[in-house]
Amino acid sequence: MSRVTLSQWQMLAAVVDHGGFSRAAEAVHKSPSTLNHAVHKLEEQLGVAVLEPVGRQVRLTEAGEMLLRRARQLLDNAASLEDVASRLAEGLEAEIVLAIDQLFPADALARALDAFSTAFPYVRVQLHETVLNGGVEMLKDGEADLLVSGLGAHGFLGEPLVTVRFIAVAHPDHELHRLGRGLDLRDLEQHRQLVVRDSAQGRSQDSGWLKAEQRWTVSHLDTSIGMLERNLGFAWLPETRLGDSLAAGRLKPLPLSAGRVREIPLQLIHRDQDRSGPATRAMARQLRDSVRRGVGGGA
Amino acid sequence: MSRVTLSQWQMLAAVVDHGGFSRAAEAVHKSPSTLNHAVHKLEEQLGVAVLEPVGRQVRLTEAGEMLLRRARQLLDNAASLEDVASRLAEGLEAEIVLAIDQLFPADALARALDAFSTAFPYVRVQLHETVLNGGVEMLKDGEADLLVSGLGAHGFLGEPLVTVRFIAVAHPDHELHRLGRGLDLRDLEQHRQLVVRDSAQGRSQDSGWLKAEQRWTVSHLDTSIGMLERNLGFAWLPETRLGDSLAAGRLKPLPLSAGRVREIPLQLIHRDQDRSGPATRAMARQLRDSVRRGVGGGA
DNA sequence: GAGACATGTTCGATTTCCTCGAATGTAGTG
DNA sequence: CACTACATTCGAGGAAATCGAACATGTCTC
């Protein structure tokens, strides 16, 4: 099993690129005989002639041309690999873990992840879509590097990120709409409310601020929307998640006479602001930017 | 500029795969200290720890996991590269040059090329769509490895490949159709015939067997069809190229009272049957197979 | 066409660095 | 507390890369 060295391919490439052994030798800071030796050994190992003499020069053979083309890719990959390693050496994380509350606008999250992945293509992202204490728990247990949540975490410093506006919605045919009048909180208590389950393992706390008599609890906000569109109740939901459903008339805001909109400020919290690596910082920046752009352009 | 060797990555992979230095050492037929040295040098060169001690074993660090994943791809690519070289060493051509007469059914050619490219993904194909002596000329000048042509080449041995059936066609509104009767050759002579130009550089010879008074010569058969569909003349064309046009009614066979169909046997000719490499032979086989399948399935 | 030049090639000496076995250290195990 | 199994360190040996010098071969110039 003969093994050709990367530097052998490299030297072959140098000879071809610089047009000859002597010129290449200068460029690579080696002696011409070294290059000659390396290339000939390569040819011997492969059993294929890659260079052929033409006059007092050498040229690639047909086979050599083909092999070198692929070898260059190999060299690029190797260089890229070491480049990744060097960034890792500078403290770049191999993986970052995000705990993002489901309240956070999905399109802003998508934009942030997209921008991040182009800037840091080799950093894996673990995204946890959390609810309430679920995210806080992950942060406190050291399982998440970055948290976006509506709840503050004691002992952690957060910065305000974006404020999510909540509205109460239901299917257009829902009984609350059929009343045909302004509603107050007591009206809502009479009907089934859909709330999202706290994703924390330990002590958990319910989403939704109203003590509805009937209450269904689901794990994901999208599930909740799906059930609303099937007219299975009403719910308080972030405006940003309702764009399509409202526009298409599948859902309709409830006509509350007061307190129609509730606002929850989301915070961006680092596990350890000072010790966080460049990828975590970049992701935090992307999250900030994406909500800013989202406010400026979309809403 | 530190350069990590392929074998260093290889040794790291071995250590990880076999779960430890000593086990890996046996598998790779090296001493444990060799592996240790190689891995530690790698870590030093990259400035990143890839293995971490856990108990009396070692495990990949997060960074190591990420780097090794990419390194494995690199190793695969390197192995693949040498594999290609070994086939080249066995006589596999880096490139084959085909001279295929335009009469050859396009779908059969496409099938053959497709099958060939999966079997020999690294062999480049140069396809020349020739006419009459053009292909023969390429063969005799040593520019083509394989020829498919209706003309024989003196001094070369050919094998019958497929017989192409020619019919005379014109636009449905063409004057020849308006006559509303069986036609003989003298009728055809009165109208403009489209012929395809011989692609030979040297002595060339016209396609089309009739001495029409008016004659337009084009370079490609498809051009001819396009002009026919614009009712610019009539032409003798291979049946297989007319499928769509006839079915859609854009062209219509001329009602010749005799000699309605002309048949031209195409031959498959090697430049040098004995010295041809495996790729050329395989391509020849694919061409044979594809016309056989074409007859069985299509027509 | 003869010399000068530039280039690839071969050869032997030198040095680098890869490889190995023995010794050492350390964490689990009875 | 010995014992095992493993990683690790060290120094010696050797294989292989590197180099400079001599050689061969082709082009260019006069």
Side-chain angles (χ1 to χ4, degrees):
Chain A
M1 179 186 279
S2 68
R3 292 264 114 209
V4 177
T5 301
L6 280 179
S7 71
Q8 279 175 283
W9 290 116
Q10 214 164 357
M11 292 184 200
L12 173 63
V15 170
V16 172
D17 290 341
H18 297 89
F21 284 85
S22 34
R23 267 184 280 273
E26 281 189 44
V28 191
H29 304 298
K30 304 242 165 156
S31 99
S33 60
T34 299
L35 299 184
N36 199 304
H37 175 67
V39 172
H40 278 140
K41 186 179 176 186
L42 187 149
E43 289 185 332
E44 186 192 357
Q45 286 170 315
L46 298 182
V48 179
V50 293
L51 292 180
E52 60 186 354
V54 47
R56 60 180 180 187
Q57 302 276 81
V58 286
R59 278 166 61 113
L60 278 175
T61 63
E62 207 173 2
E65 198 177 333
M66 170 182 181
L67 291 174
L68 182 56
R69 192 181 311 123
R70 298 204 67 208
R72 285 190 201 276
Q73 293 182 11
L74 190 71
L75 291 172
D76 285 348
N77 289 342
S80 162
L81 178 55
E82 296 191 23
D83 187 57
V84 171
S86 80
R87 302 207 184 167
L88 245 51
E90 291 167 3
L92 182 65
E93 306 90 318
E95 174 180 287
I96 65 176
V97 181
L98 305 180
I100 311 286
D101 198 289
Q102 289 180 14
L103 305 184
F104 189 71
D107 56 338
L109 178 60
R111 273 200 305 276
L113 287 174
D114 183 45
F116 178 82
S117 71
T118 59
F120 297 88
Y122 301 124
V123 177
R124 274 178 303 176
V125 174
Q126 277 215 28
L127 173 65
H128 291 266
E129 299 178 77
T130 58
V131 179
L132 293 166
N133 281 303
V136 178
E137 197 180 69
M138 289 191 67
L139 189 76
K140 291 192 170 172
D141 292 351
E143 293 169 7
D145 299 307
L146 217 50
L147 168 66
V148 172
S149 169
L151 276 52
H154 287 295
F156 290 85
L157 205 66
E159 56 179 302
L161 185 60
V162 68
T163 298
V164 178
R165 295 159 54 88
F166 276 68
I167 53 179
V169 294
H171 193 278
D173 298 337
H174 192 276
E175 290 181 38
L176 284 166
H177 280 302
R178 296 199 173 173
L179 294 176
R181 57 171 172 82
L183 308 172
D184 62 13
L185 298 186
R186 265 177 299 277
D187 292 319
L188 299 188
E189 287 179 20
Q190 306 300 322
H191 293 84
R192 176 164 54 232
Q193 179 181 1
L194 302 180
V195 300
V196 180
R197 176 177 299 115
D198 193 314
S199 65
Q201 308 284 342
R203 82 232 140 200
S204 64
Q205 134 184 10
D206 279 328
S207 168
W209 306 269
L210 297 179
K211 296 288 188 313
E213 294 187 350
Q214 304 178 62
R215 152 174 308 195
W216 285 4
T217 308
V218 299
S219 294
H220 203 284
L221 206 140
D222 289 338
T223 312
S224 172
I225 293 178
M227 296 177 90
L228 288 180
E229 292 183 352
R230 288 175 184 76
N231 200 7
L232 296 175
F234 81 94
W236 286 89
L237 291 177
E239 226 175 21
T240 52
R241 294 257 179 174
L242 294 172
D244 283 352
S245 302
L246 293 180
R250 294 193 298 272
L251 294 180
K252 192 173 162 189
L254 290 171
L256 284 163
S257 44
R260 179 182 298 237
V261 174
R262 296 177 172 270
E263 296 198 335
I264 296 205
L266 293 186
Q267 297 196 58
L268 175 64
I269 309 176
H270 281 80
R271 175 166 52 143
D272 188 333
Q273 177 109 38
D274 299 327
R275 274 183 231 159
S276 66
T280 304
R281 291 163 186 266
M283 178 60 89
R285 188 161 43 78
Q286 294 296 353
L287 286 170
R288 281 190 285 267
D289 287 0
S290 67
V291 296
R292 211 172 296 152
R293 246 177 299 157
V295 171
Chain B
M1 179 185 280
S2 68
R3 291 261 118 216
V4 177
T5 303
L6 280 179
S7 70
Q8 280 176 282
W9 290 116
Q10 214 163 0
M11 293 185 198
L12 173 63
V15 170
V16 173
D17 290 342
H18 297 89
F21 284 84
S22 34
R23 266 186 280 273
E26 282 188 42
V28 190
H29 304 298
K30 304 242 164 154
S31 98
S33 60
T34 299
L35 299 184
N36 198 302
H37 175 66
V39 172
H40 278 137
K41 187 179 175 186
L42 186 148
E43 289 185 332
E44 185 192 357
Q45 286 170 316
L46 298 182
V48 179
V50 293
L51 292 180
E52 60 186 353
V54 47
R56 59 182 177 189
Q57 301 276 82
V58 285
R59 278 164 62 114
L60 276 175
T61 63
E62 205 173 5
E65 198 177 332
M66 171 183 181
L67 292 174
L68 182 56
R69 191 180 313 122
R70 297 203 68 208
R72 285 188 201 277
Q73 293 182 11
L74 190 71
L75 291 171
D76 285 348
N77 289 343
S80 161
L81 177 56
E82 295 191 24
D83 187 56
V84 170
S86 80
R87 303 208 184 167
L88 245 51
E90 290 167 6
L92 182 65
E93 306 91 319
E95 174 180 287
I96 66 176
V97 181
L98 305 180
I100 311 286
D101 199 289
Q102 290 181 14
L103 305 184
F104 189 73
D107 57 338
L109 178 59
R111 272 199 306 276
L113 287 174
D114 184 46
F116 177 82
S117 70
T118 60
F120 297 88
Y122 302 124
V123 177
R124 273 178 304 176
V125 175
Q126 278 215 29
L127 173 65
H128 292 265
E129 298 179 78
T130 59
V131 180
L132 293 166
N133 282 302
V136 179
E137 196 179 69
M138 289 191 68
L139 189 76
K140 290 192 171 172
D141 292 352
E143 293 170 7
D145 300 307
L146 217 50
L147 168 67
V148 173
S149 168
L151 275 51
H154 288 295
F156 290 85
L157 205 63
E159 57 178 299
L161 184 60
V162 67
T163 298
V164 178
R165 296 160 53 89
F166 276 68
I167 54 179
V169 294
H171 193 277
D173 299 337
H174 193 273
E175 290 181 37
L176 284 167
H177 280 302
R178 296 199 172 174
L179 293 177
R181 57 170 172 83
L183 308 172
D184 62 13
L185 298 186
R186 264 178 298 275
D187 292 319
L188 299 187
E189 286 179 20
Q190 306 299 323
H191 293 84
R192 176 165 54 232
Q193 179 181 359
L194 303 180
V195 298
V196 180
R197 177 176 299 114
D198 193 314
S199 65
Q201 307 285 343
R203 80 230 143 203
S204 65
Q205 134 185 7
D206 279 327
S207 168
W209 308 268
L210 297 180
K211 296 289 188 315
E213 294 186 348
Q214 303 178 62
R215 152 176 309 197
W216 285 2
T217 307
V218 299
S219 294
H220 203 283
L221 207 141
D222 290 338
T223 312
S224 172
I225 293 178
M227 298 178 87
L228 287 181
E229 291 183 351
R230 287 172 184 77
N231 200 6
L232 297 175
F234 82 95
W236 286 89
L237 291 179
E239 227 176 19
T240 52
R241 293 258 179 175
L242 295 171
D244 283 353
S245 302
L246 292 180
R250 294 192 299 272
L251 294 180
K252 191 174 162 190
L254 291 171
L256 284 164
S257 42
R260 180 183 296 237
V261 174
R262 294 178 173 271
E263 297 198 334
I264 295 205
L266 293 185
Q267 296 194 58
L268 173 65
I269 310 176
H270 282 80
R271 175 165 53 144
D272 189 333
Q273 178 108 38
D274 299 328
R275 273 182 232 161
S276 65
T280 304
R281 291 163 187 264
M283 177 60 90
R285 187 163 41 79
Q286 294 295 354
L287 286 170
R288 280 191 286 267
D289 287 359
S290 68
V291 296
R292 211 171 297 151
R293 247 177 299 157
V295 170

XYZ file of all heavy atoms in Angstrom, chain A residues 139 146-149 151-161 265-271 273 288:
196
model
N -29.249 27.223 30.812
C -28.167 28.172 31.037
C -27.517 27.911 32.398
O -26.284 27.835 32.506
C -28.723 29.599 30.998
C -27.663 30.702 31.012
C -27.014 30.805 29.654
C -28.282 32.028 31.422
N -25.736 30.393 25.096
C -26.446 31.638 24.842
C -27.936 31.379 25.048
O -28.454 30.344 24.634
C -26.190 32.059 23.385
C -26.030 33.539 23.051
C -25.026 34.206 23.959
C -25.618 33.680 21.598
N -28.602 32.318 25.685
C -30.025 32.147 25.964
C -30.801 33.370 25.507
O -30.385 34.505 25.738
C -30.242 31.937 27.480
C -31.691 32.029 27.974
C -32.535 30.887 27.423
C -31.743 32.049 29.492
N -31.912 33.122 24.841
C -32.861 34.191 24.568
C -34.158 33.808 25.261
O -34.731 32.759 24.949
C -33.103 34.392 23.065
C -34.230 35.376 22.836
C -31.834 34.856 22.381
N -34.578 34.629 26.203
C -35.734 34.247 27.008
C -36.471 35.488 27.504
O -35.907 36.588 27.569
C -35.267 33.410 28.199
O -36.324 33.233 29.117
N -37.759 35.441 30.504
C -37.482 35.414 31.925
C -36.024 35.796 32.175
O -35.139 35.416 31.415
C -37.708 34.006 32.486
C -39.131 33.594 32.889
C -40.116 33.841 31.776
C -39.132 32.139 33.311
N -35.807 36.520 33.245
C -34.425 36.802 33.622
C -33.855 35.607 34.372
O -34.596 34.743 34.845
N -32.544 35.542 34.421
C -31.912 34.455 35.163
C -31.096 35.089 36.284
O -30.223 35.922 36.025
C -31.028 33.622 34.251
N -31.399 34.700 37.502
C -30.682 35.278 38.641
C -29.196 34.967 38.552
O -28.809 33.842 38.305
C -31.239 34.709 39.949
C -32.595 35.260 40.273
N -32.813 36.586 40.565
C -33.806 34.660 40.318
C -34.102 36.777 40.792
N -34.731 35.624 40.642
N -28.391 35.973 38.742
C -26.948 35.769 38.726
C -26.345 35.877 37.343
O -25.150 35.711 37.167
N -27.190 36.122 36.344
C -26.681 36.293 34.981
C -27.059 37.670 34.474
O -28.134 38.182 34.782
C -27.244 35.231 34.043
C -26.708 33.854 34.307
C -27.297 33.050 35.280
C -25.616 33.371 33.613
C -26.805 31.787 35.538
C -25.126 32.114 33.871
C -25.718 31.313 34.834
N -26.176 38.224 33.697
C -26.419 39.560 33.183
C -27.039 39.463 31.787
O -26.488 38.810 30.913
C -25.098 40.328 33.118
C -25.229 41.843 33.192
C -25.763 42.242 34.569
C -23.880 42.492 32.924
N -28.182 40.092 31.622
C -28.820 40.047 30.310
C -28.916 41.426 29.702
O -28.839 42.423 30.393
N -29.061 41.435 28.400
C -29.274 42.706 27.724
C -30.602 42.617 26.992
O -30.950 41.566 26.438
C -28.148 42.979 26.720
C -27.989 41.864 25.714
C -26.893 42.156 24.696
O -27.000 43.175 24.017
O -25.948 41.345 24.594
N -31.376 43.689 26.948
C -32.656 43.631 26.235
C -32.434 43.401 24.748
O -31.547 44.005 24.138
C -33.273 45.011 26.499
C -32.135 45.872 26.935
C -31.125 44.983 27.576
N -33.206 42.498 24.198
C -32.995 42.134 22.791
C -34.123 42.663 21.919
O -33.893 43.394 20.962
C -32.901 40.609 22.672
C -32.568 40.061 21.300
C -31.222 40.578 20.845
C -32.582 38.544 21.321
N -40.625 41.658 27.083
C -39.268 41.942 26.627
C -38.402 40.688 26.709
O -38.315 40.069 27.762
C -38.784 43.007 27.607
C -39.586 42.783 28.842
C -40.891 42.148 28.429
N -37.796 40.333 25.581
C -36.874 39.190 25.576
C -35.465 39.681 25.875
O -35.078 40.780 25.483
C -36.887 38.496 24.209
C -38.181 37.788 23.818
C -37.984 37.031 22.515
C -38.625 36.835 24.919
N -34.715 38.841 26.554
C -33.341 39.196 26.883
C -32.367 38.236 26.231
O -32.685 37.066 26.010
C -33.136 39.137 28.397
C -33.969 40.129 29.161
C -33.459 40.288 30.577
O -32.307 40.640 30.789
N -34.328 39.985 31.526
N -31.196 38.764 25.955
C -30.100 37.934 25.440
C -29.091 37.768 26.563
O -28.567 38.753 27.084
C -29.446 38.612 24.233
C -28.214 37.932 23.659
C -28.572 36.563 23.114
C -27.591 38.786 22.566
N -28.845 36.529 26.937
C -28.009 36.272 28.113
C -26.858 35.325 27.754
O -27.083 34.245 27.183
C -28.849 35.642 29.241
C -30.108 36.500 29.488
C -28.033 35.521 30.508
C -31.045 35.939 30.508
N -25.648 35.745 28.051
C -24.475 34.884 27.862
C -24.283 33.995 29.077
O -24.550 34.420 30.193
C -23.207 35.737 27.706
C -23.049 36.323 26.337
N -23.716 37.437 25.928
C -22.288 35.944 25.283
C -23.383 37.740 24.684
N -22.513 36.849 24.264
N -23.792 32.812 28.835
C -23.428 31.970 29.961
C -22.261 32.611 30.702
O -22.212 32.676 31.908
C -23.028 30.572 29.504
C -22.530 29.719 30.674
C -22.468 28.281 30.295
N -21.701 28.132 29.064
C -20.890 27.116 28.835
N -20.757 26.164 29.710
N -20.235 27.029 27.707
N -20.050 35.970 29.673
C -19.746 36.989 28.673
C -18.248 37.105 28.386
O -17.836 37.233 27.235
C -20.252 38.349 29.172
C -19.929 39.508 28.246
C -21.175 40.022 27.552
O -22.254 40.095 28.126
N -21.021 40.374 26.298
N -28.756 40.178 17.614
C -29.085 41.596 17.769
C -29.400 42.240 16.426
O -30.395 42.931 16.251
C -27.910 42.322 18.426
C -27.828 42.128 19.928
C -26.798 43.076 20.536
N -25.437 42.649 20.275
C -24.721 41.887 21.089
N -25.245 41.452 22.212
N -23.487 41.543 20.786
